[in-house]
Amino acid sequence: MSVLTAWLETGWLAFAAMAILWAETLLLSFLSQSPMARFKALAGGALAGTFLLAALAFALRGNALGWVLAFLTLSLFAHLLDVAGRLKDQSAALSRNTEKLSSPAVVTQRR
């Protein structure tokens, strides 16, 4: 148990989780039929997760609160960019279906 405690206190457990996160991202991308498209889809979330894990690593050390704040801020920005990229691709799916009907009021009244 002392090895696990040492990894927690030094923050190395979070860095190991980062390595696993990126290995999983690369493996899933490599196994896809379109590796670059899959990597682009997964990279934003992996980047945000990496920044969160880095913040955790510095928080576990307990002496670098400035770095914790910096990495949490970077994680927020990475998350916002990831969401913006996902919404850009889905703008057509978010539009209202009534715009496609020839006479929406008639169809609504029949229901």
Side-chain angles (χ1 to χ4, degrees):
M1 270 315 238
S2 64
V3 173
L4 181 61
T5 304
W7 273 51
L8 276 171
E9 290 174 352
T10 59
W12 281 110
L13 189 64
F15 291 117
M18 276 187 236
I20 292 170
L21 172 68
W22 281 102
E24 179 184 8
T25 302
L26 292 174
L27 179 66
L28 289 173
S29 298
F30 178 73
L31 294 176
S32 174
Q33 291 182 0
S34 177
M36 196 53 151
R38 175 65 58 98
F39 181 76
K40 286 179 182 179
L42 295 175
L47 189 62
T50 299
F51 288 139
L52 283 176
L53 287 169
L56 173 66
F58 284 104
L60 288 172
R61 290 180 180 186
N63 58 357
L65 293 179
W67 285 106
V68 172
L69 180 61
F71 281 116
L72 287 175
T73 303
L74 288 172
S75 178
L76 175 64
F77 286 129
H79 172 68
L80 291 175
L81 287 173
D82 182 37
V83 169
R86 291 173 190 261
L87 286 178
K88 178 185 69 166
D89 296 337
Q90 307 237 347
S91 62
L94 296 175
S95 65
R96 296 179 65 160
N97 290 334
T98 57
E99 298 166 355
K100 298 175 186 174
L101 297 175
S102 58
S103 55
V106 174
V107 173
T108 305
Q109 290 176 357
R110 289 183 190 163
R111 291 183 191 168

